[in-house]
Amino acid sequence: MSREWNLRTVPAELAARYRAEGLWVDRTLGQWVEASIDRNRSNAFRAYSEVRPYDGTFGELDRAARSLAAALRRQGVGSGSVVVMQLPNWAEAAVTFWATAYLGAVIVPVVASYGAKEVDYILRAVTPEVVVTPERFRRTDFLELYEPLLAEHPDSRWLVVGDTPAAGLPRGAAPLAGLLEGEPVAAPAPVDPHDPAVIAFTSGTTRDPKGVIHSHLTLAAEVLQAGTRVGDDASGTGPFPLVGSPVGHFAGMLGAFLRPLLANTEIHLVDVWDPARVLRLMVAHDLTMAGGATYFLTSLLDHPDFGEEHLRRIPAVGLGGSPVPVAVARRAAELGIRLFRSYGCTEHPSSTASALDDPEAKRLETDGKPLRGVDLRLDDDGQIITRGPELFVGYTDPALTAAAFDADGWYHSGDVGVLDDDGYLTITDRVTDLIIRGGENISAQEIEELFLTLDGVAEVVVVAEPDERLGERVAAVFTTRPGAPAPTLDQVRDHLRAHGLGHQKWPASLHHVRDLPRTPSGKVQKYRLRQQLRTGQLEHRV
């Protein structure tokens, strides 16, 4: 199916440079997957789950993925088609991702915690040919969530992961398992490597999630770039990384289903990050943590069961995707963990990183240097502006693309940082109002608009508040109308739930104040509120 995404054009001199440096390779995602699995067909694939455990091999899941691709191809799904996948860290997510790659279609991962409001927007933005969901996971009944939403998309095929037979599913839904046993496709579909391969939705400063489009070229460049940070382990020995980042998130999906293929390692997933259980899995299966947001490390270090048998399985770790407090980095170093930091976003996943052989102060206190092929500079306000081979090719909303890029291909990140004399970057703030909770971007404006519909609320500002486990959490600072009572935290959360907002976006704390700090023109000074939250100087807390 041919679609017009209005993607940006990479300047010719940059494209030529990326190819000359081996950072752009004219292979499709399907070709990367096929070649990598062929080298590692007997490697273990394990999903640790209370509801859908799996213990098999790359080859076994590859056979299922090729069968799914063949079945969908017979139904008209192919190059340019869109497949929305909202699945936990289960084997079926790998099957869906690899099948989509073989078809030359576009995969749209959606985090399992997204609610009706976010999902409805995504479906309208991409009009998918295929939607893959679980029956239910944790607190969410996905059949109940999707049935009214997909009634607005009657041409979308709905595939469900679960044990309910077809007769017990909503109208239009079918079991995914029924498509995994047929004749498999023999080879990946031929597509242009410049075409879209992934659309990752990430909350930003706008009220709705932003659809970030990556091509086959930028996706492969990102995975190859990540492998240069600490080197690939081709030995086939442990400890093997345990991926806890949700595969519905761009970084989690690549870390689970693509990066291990190129690194010649095993794949180990866990669908619920329970630190006590993770620590048991580490010892039982000789696993280490796969890196990512700060929370994944601190949740283990802080657990009473953490001991020497776990520490020796974390010789090194890379953290990024959310703020990395220097205190956390120093604590890891004191334990003997060689920690390095990195900076990136869904739009430009690998911008900077430190290396394991960098001086300790650089590894622990900065976010590293620009990676190979990456150009980085700061504008007059300290905003970080980048170019690079893994930089995305545009948003699903062309207006956002036009606003983010200049004519020379520079991406304006909205993040603020400083560069030291040795070229190491340190993130200091954000121009935008993003809250990065456990590695996931959350839009303040979206929460503010819903919060303001509560009775008696006069004004509200949502900002990031420091959190030892997650890096940041959502805090709401608000005023009320004269005589109106302040809502309680439970009332606010019930209100947001009723409007379909995912639970990860609910405020962790409320702060009822008499007035808000403002500029002379009347604009609220969010940076001052963040400062006051960090120092505990807000006048009142609910």
Side-chain angles (χ1 to χ4, degrees), residues 19 25-29 31 79-80 104 189-197 214-217:
R19 284 191 167 87
V25 181
D26 287 314
R27 300 175 73 186
T28 67
L29 179 58
Q31 290 171 329
S79 174
V191 293
D192 188 336
H194 291 87
D195 285 350
H214 277 276
S215 69
H216 297 262
L217 290 174

Side-chain angles (χ1 to χ4, degrees), residues 318-379:
L319 298 183
S322 67
V324 183
V326 173
V328 171
R330 288 288 176 192
R331 178 186 179 191
E334 289 168 3
L335 289 170
I337 299 172
R338 298 180 68 198
L339 183 144
F340 69 95
R341 291 165 49 174
S342 62
Y343 162 69
C345 56
T346 304
E347 288 87 344
H348 195 164
S350 290
S351 299
T352 69
S354 49
L356 287 176
D357 58 359
D358 280 347
E360 183 177 77
K362 301 294 188 184
R363 285 192 291 107
L364 304 184
E365 298 176 12
T366 80
D367 296 293
K369 283 184 173 182
L371 294 172
R372 191 164 64 101
V374 174
D375 301 313
L376 184 148
R377 61 185 175 86
L378 307 179
D379 68 11

Side-chain angles (χ1 to χ4, degrees), residues 124-475:
R124 293 180 187 279
V126 301
T127 56
E129 279 74 21
V130 181
V131 176
V132 186
T133 75
E135 289 181 8
R136 58 189 54 81
F137 180 63
R138 306 193 78 179
R139 293 175 290 186
T140 302
D141 183 330
F142 285 88
L143 301 182
E144 183 180 273
L145 170 66
Y146 270 87
E147 186 172 15
L149 297 180
L150 287 178
E152 302 295 322
H153 301 271
D155 295 330
S156 296
R157 298 162 183 83
W158 183 10
L159 303 178
V160 177
V161 177
D163 300 320
T164 302
L169 294 175
R171 182 178 180 182
L176 177 74
L179 303 181
L180 305 184
E181 302 294 338
E183 187 67 21
V185 296
V191 293
D192 188 336
H194 291 87
D195 285 350
V198 172
I199 301 177
F201 279 84
T202 177
S203 296
T205 56
T206 56
R207 71 186 66 186
D208 294 310
K210 294 184 294 184
V212 178
I213 304 174
H214 277 276
S215 69
H216 297 262
L217 290 174
T218 65
L219 199 63
E222 159 57 18
V223 177
L224 293 172
Q225 193 81 286
T228 66
R229 298 179 193 169
V230 294
D232 289 342
D233 177 14
S235 66
T237 61
F240 297 109
L242 176 64
V243 177
S245 298
V247 299
H249 188 280
F250 178 76
M253 182 185 67
L254 298 190
F257 303 142
L258 192 55
R259 177 81 189 93
L261 300 185
L262 301 182
N264 304 309
T265 186
E266 298 181 352
I267 293 178
H268 295 260
L269 310 178
V270 62
D271 62 352
V272 177
W273 188 265
D274 173 7
R277 183 164 182 249
V278 168
L279 292 172
R280 292 195 297 271
L281 291 172
M282 288 174 66
V283 175
H285 300 280
D286 196 20
L287 305 176
T288 186
M289 65 163 290
T294 306
Y295 164 70
F296 291 107
L297 177 61
T298 56
S299 68
L300 299 182
L301 299 183
D302 292 338
H303 198 277
D305 293 345
F306 185 82
E308 285 297 325
E309 68 272 28
H310 307 105
L311 183 59
R312 66 171 175 264
R313 288 181 168 85
I314 314 178
V317 66
L319 298 183
S322 67
V324 183
V326 173
V328 171
R330 288 288 176 192
R331 178 186 179 191
E334 289 168 3
L335 289 170
I337 299 172
R338 298 180 68 198
L339 183 144
F340 69 95
R341 291 165 49 174
S342 62
Y343 162 69
C345 56
T346 304
E347 288 87 344
H348 195 164
S350 290
S351 299
T352 69
S354 49
L356 287 176
D357 58 359
D358 280 347
E360 183 177 77
K362 301 294 188 184
R363 285 192 291 107
L364 304 184
E365 298 176 12
T366 80
D367 296 293
K369 283 184 173 182
L371 294 172
R372 191 164 64 101
V374 174
D375 301 313
L376 184 148
R377 61 185 175 86
L378 307 179
D379 68 11
D380 292 341
D381 297 318
Q383 181 182 190
I384 301 164
I385 302 173
T386 63
R387 299 189 302 195
E390 62 289 281
L391 183 59
F392 77 124
V393 292
Y395 292 108
T396 52
D397 182 346
L400 293 177
T401 306
F405 288 93
D406 62 27
D408 296 320
W410 289 94
Y411 167 63
H412 296 247
S413 69
D415 294 315
V416 175
V418 295
L419 288 166
D420 67 17
D421 293 340
D422 298 315
Y424 287 82
L425 176 73
T426 302
I427 309 302
T428 59
D429 207 344
R430 288 188 292 276
V431 174
T432 58
D433 296 327
L434 288 180
I435 299 160
I436 305 180
R437 179 187 181 275
E440 181 181 357
N441 291 351
I442 293 174
S443 167
Q445 181 179 342
E446 180 183 29
I447 305 167
E448 288 167 355
E449 289 183 357
L450 291 176
F451 197 113
L452 277 172
T453 61
L454 278 162
D455 289 341
V457 174
E459 195 170 9
V460 63
V461 176
V462 170
V463 294
E465 181 177 41
D467 185 281
E468 290 183 0
R469 290 191 312 118
L470 301 169
E472 292 179 349
R473 61 184 185 178
V474 177

